[in-house]
Amino acid sequence: MKLSYIVPVYNVEAYLDKCLQSLYNQSLELVDFEVVIINDGSSDNSLKIIEKYRSLYQNITLIDQENQGLSVARNNGIGQAKGDYILCVDSDDFLIQDSISNLLQKAIDLDLDVLRGEYRYCDDAGNFLLLDDTKRHRYQYSYKIIDGDLLFQCIYCKEFYIPLLLIRRSLLLENRLYFREHVYFEDIEFAFKLSLLAKRVMYVPIVFYIYRLRDGSITRNLTYKKILDLFAAIKGLKSYSGMIIYPEKTNRVLEETISQLTVYLLISLSNFTVKDRKELLKQLDMKSISSLLVFGNIKEVIVSVLYNVLGTNVIGLLSPVVRLRNSLLK
């Protein structure tokens, strides 16, 4: 079997049909792929939708479990998968029609560990959003066989979206690489570790994945736990930075990633009340992030400079600005 789709599902009845249908709107024979669906304790009609597709297609494997989170669901799906390659698909997203078969065949023909494709954003209603210029930095590596160092340094562009990666399943199993469980932002650490293992990588600048920006998505609404998990992800990357075993550019990109994520953390903290911020900061070892690289867009540069001067006191300055922005966006 060539491909296993790994599809965790949790209360996505409004989007699931489009997601699953898109997996079958590809130029692939049914015998060449499987769909491993992990129903992660859904309480809506998601399971009914899954059962409808199981009645139509024989290549669906259903894992029905109590709610344990995205990481556990993905790990369980990978454990059940049989394909040479896996593709993780979030169940509120969908694939472009007839986009997968050529990418998959290229990965097989070139014996790739990882193939990284492209994506577009859509809004909650499925309308495509304007493209940004992030992708242009990757174009010079298009269709070239590169290694994991360049994957991390130049292809991710700090976008750690695991669903954009066709991954050789044996690479994960042989190296026991799984997602850290019961945490948010698990893609960050996983993507970095994957780049350390991958020897044959290709970037193909073809849009195949549509990433839906939902109001309730993990990255758009940071709760207490998400703040703690984001900081844990930052500290995880910090533990790798500066190691002489990595190329200089890899360490530089690590530091840039740590800085960008910390800016995001600081801005997110400014959304909390003063009392909640104080409680959170007691649990965050912000002293371990002594300074940030000053780079990026204007917002990132300003917040980085202020953090380097004021430390966490910068959150108090950011709070009224962020609240004003939020009120204007409503």
Side-chain angles (χ1 to χ4, degrees):
M1 185 178 293
K2 295 179 180 179
L3 174 65
S4 297
Y5 293 113
I6 309 298
V7 188
V9 171
Y10 179 70
N11 289 351
V12 286
E13 62 180 359
Y15 313 105
L16 184 56
D17 191 77
K18 186 172 184 63
C19 173
L20 295 180
Q21 190 59 55
S22 76
L23 307 185
Y24 287 93
N25 288 342
Q26 306 295 325
S27 301
L28 289 172
E29 298 292 335
L30 290 178
V31 295
D32 288 335
F33 74 99
E34 65 175 348
V35 181
V36 182
I37 303 175
I38 309 92
N39 180 42
D40 193 33
S42 297
S43 57
D44 64 357
N45 289 316
S46 293
L47 186 56
K48 290 182 180 179
I49 297 170
I50 295 169
E51 293 294 356
K52 180 186 76 173
Y53 276 84
R54 289 184 75 197
S55 70
L56 296 173
Y57 303 105
Q58 301 302 308
N59 63 342
I60 294 178
T61 297
L62 172 62
I63 301 172
D64 199 10
Q65 63 184 40
E66 293 183 0
N67 181 247
Q68 299 180 67
L70 179 62
S71 298
V72 175
R74 281 179 175 171
N75 288 340
N76 288 341
I78 293 169
Q80 291 288 320
K82 302 178 181 67
D84 296 327
Y85 287 85
I86 66 164
L87 179 68
C88 293
V89 179
D90 290 345
S91 51
D92 49 356
D93 301 335
F94 58 96
L95 307 183
I96 294 289
Q97 184 172 342
D98 294 329
S99 60
I100 289 295
S101 59
N102 289 338
L103 298 178
L104 178 61
Q105 196 59 50
K106 188 174 292 292
I108 293 170
D109 291 345
L110 297 175
D111 195 31
L112 300 178
D113 293 322
V114 178
L115 185 146
R116 207 283 195 176
E118 271 301 351
Y119 72 100
R120 282 194 69 175
Y121 287 121
C122 75
D123 62 18
D124 206 45
N127 303 307
F128 290 128
L129 302 178
L130 292 176
L131 299 173
D132 56 35
D133 64 351
T134 304
K135 303 173 182 58
R136 64 184 171 85
H137 302 294
R138 294 191 274 263
Y139 286 158
Q140 62 181 304
Y141 299 98
S142 299
Y143 299 106
K144 298 177 181 178
I145 295 179
I146 60 175
D147 60 14
D149 288 334
L150 281 176
L151 171 66
F152 183 75
Q153 295 167 12
C154 305
I155 305 303
Y156 285 154
C157 294
K158 306 178 191 69
E159 295 176 332
F160 304 112
Y161 301 159
I162 297 305
L164 303 181
L165 306 175
L166 270 171
I167 305 170
R168 188 200 304 273
R169 183 171 62 93
S170 61
L171 182 71
L172 304 182
L173 299 180
E174 290 168 4
N175 293 280
R176 297 185 178 183
L177 177 57
Y178 295 100
F179 294 91
R180 188 181 294 274
E181 298 185 345
H182 307 298
V183 298
Y184 296 103
F185 304 101
E186 64 283 336
D187 283 9
I188 297 172
E189 180 185 41
F190 183 94
F192 177 63
K193 288 184 175 179
L194 179 65
S195 72
L196 299 179
L197 297 171
K199 305 301 181 186
R200 293 177 62 81
V201 178
M202 180 173 284
Y203 164 61
V204 178
I206 293 176
V207 174
F208 78 97
Y209 194 91
I210 306 301
Y211 181 84
R212 190 187 302 270
L213 293 176
R214 293 172 54 197
D215 291 339
S217 67
I218 288 172
T219 53
R220 300 194 87 188
N221 294 279
L222 292 196
T223 62
Y224 204 95
K225 174 171 171 52
K226 290 174 186 176
I227 288 286
L228 297 177
D229 286 350
L230 175 58
F231 185 73
I234 294 170
K235 285 198 69 175
L237 291 182
K238 189 71 175 174
S239 69
Y240 291 105
S241 67
M243 290 189 178
I244 59 174
I245 61 173
Y246 304 140
E248 181 180 347
K249 188 168 182 180
T250 295
N251 276 311
R252 169 73 185 189
V253 174
L254 269 171
E255 288 297 329
E256 290 175 354
T257 304
I258 290 165
S259 293
Q260 283 190 323
L261 290 173
T262 303
V263 167
Y264 177 48
L265 175 74
L266 294 168
I267 293 172
S268 298
L269 280 168
S270 68
N271 279 301
F272 286 78
T273 65
V274 174
K275 179 182 177 181
D276 287 340
R277 286 205 303 267
K278 288 181 178 179
E279 288 299 316
L280 279 165
L281 287 171
K282 287 179 183 178
Q283 300 183 57
L284 303 180
D285 180 23
M286 293 300 295
K287 291 181 180 179
S288 63
I289 314 295
S290 56
S291 63
L292 302 178
L293 288 179
V294 178
F295 87 108
N297 59 38
I298 295 176
K299 175 180 67 177
E300 290 166 340
V301 167
I302 292 173
V303 175
S304 297
V305 169
L306 289 173
Y307 179 79
N308 292 344
V309 174
L310 302 172
T312 56
N313 290 326
V314 67
I315 300 170
L317 293 179
L318 292 173
S319 183
V321 177
V322 171
R323 290 179 183 277
L324 175 61
R325 182 203 65 180
N326 292 343
S327 65
L328 292 174
L329 291 175
K330 288 181 179 179

